[in-house]
Amino acid sequence: LQTIAKDVKIQVEFNPAHVAAYRLVGYETRVLAAEDFADDKKDAGELGAGHTVTALYEIIPRGAKSPELEGLDIPLKYQEQDLSDAAHDSGELLTVKLRYKQPDGDVSELLSQTVDAAAQHGLATDAFRFSAAVALFGMLLRDSTASGEATIDDAVDLARGAIGSDEAGYRRAFVDMAEICGKLAATELN
């Protein structure tokens, strides 16, 4: 591991004009308090050359009907629920902020990137769909209530349709493993 950045922290802020609710999939044990994001004394992870990090969020778009939103629109007496003009006018879906220190540094640097709200209507890449399949499979293995009515077959189908360019064969190996797991689970049920 050749460290290219240390104490790497990522913060995602969703625009409430477009996102009614969200949930981080995985990394639940790595969540930092908002005030810790800018605190250079708070330790975080290292990033090595050639490494990538994938974070998936489940979002519920504003205006969507979802049982997850029931009770969230109850008027509050002491808090305003109006959205700012910045939220309405920006056209942004979210902002991703990355804070990191140079390998030999002590003061963090900040990178920030917005994602346009129109991006939510694009086609998902094979890499994104495959990541979602792996996340779903993990949720099913740990009996997460967030997996809803999904099955291992659903995860396998999603992964199989997203194998794409798989030169090393890792994606195909995952599909094979998930299929075996599904067959074992079906055998245990019978």
Side-chain angles (χ1 to χ4, degrees):
L1 173 71
Q2 180 176 354
T3 301
I4 60 170
K6 68 179 185 180
D7 290 336
V8 178
K9 301 173 190 171
I10 300 172
Q11 185 178 61
V12 179
E13 180 181 359
F14 291 96
N15 182 345
H18 298 285
V19 178
Y22 63 91
R23 180 180 67 83
L24 178 62
V25 178
Y27 294 105
E28 291 93 343
T29 61
R30 304 286 297 183
V31 174
L32 285 173
E35 62 271 11
D36 291 341
F37 178 71
D39 185 349
D40 283 346
K41 295 179 193 124
K42 294 289 182 181
D43 189 37
E46 275 64 47
L47 188 60
H51 288 186
T52 59
V53 175
T54 301
L56 297 174
Y57 284 86
E58 177 182 18
I59 65 167
I60 301 173
R62 177 140 321 269
K65 300 267 189 241
S66 172
E68 303 294 328
L69 299 176
E70 289 178 12
L72 294 181
D73 58 354
I74 297 171
L76 300 174
K77 181 178 179 180
Y78 300 108
Q79 297 177 28
E80 292 183 24
Q81 293 181 318
D82 294 332
L83 300 177
S84 70
D85 289 340
H88 282 293
D89 299 339
S90 73
E92 298 167 353
L93 178 66
L94 59 93
T95 300
V96 178
K97 296 177 187 173
L98 180 114
R99 188 172 285 283
Y100 69 98
K101 295 177 190 170
Q102 294 292 335
D104 58 352
D106 293 324
V107 177
S108 66
E109 300 177 39
L110 177 66
L111 298 174
S112 182
Q113 179 68 49
T114 60
V115 175
D116 190 72
Q120 66 183 325
H121 301 294
L123 296 175
T125 64
D126 286 341
F128 180 86
R129 288 182 294 119
F130 190 81
S131 296
V134 172
L136 175 58
F137 183 72
M139 291 189 311
L140 291 165
L141 287 180
R142 65 178 196 204
D143 292 326
S144 170
T145 57
S147 61
E149 301 295 319
T151 66
I152 290 177
D153 288 340
D154 294 328
V156 168
D157 290 344
L158 183 58
R160 189 182 294 118
I163 288 177
S165 176
D166 185 29
E167 295 163 11
Y170 297 132
R171 292 183 182 189
R172 180 73 238 170
F174 171 81
V175 170
D176 292 345
M177 186 238 0
E179 286 175 333
I180 291 168
C181 182
K183 289 175 185 173
L184 289 172
T187 301
E188 289 178 10
L189 293 175
N190 292 330

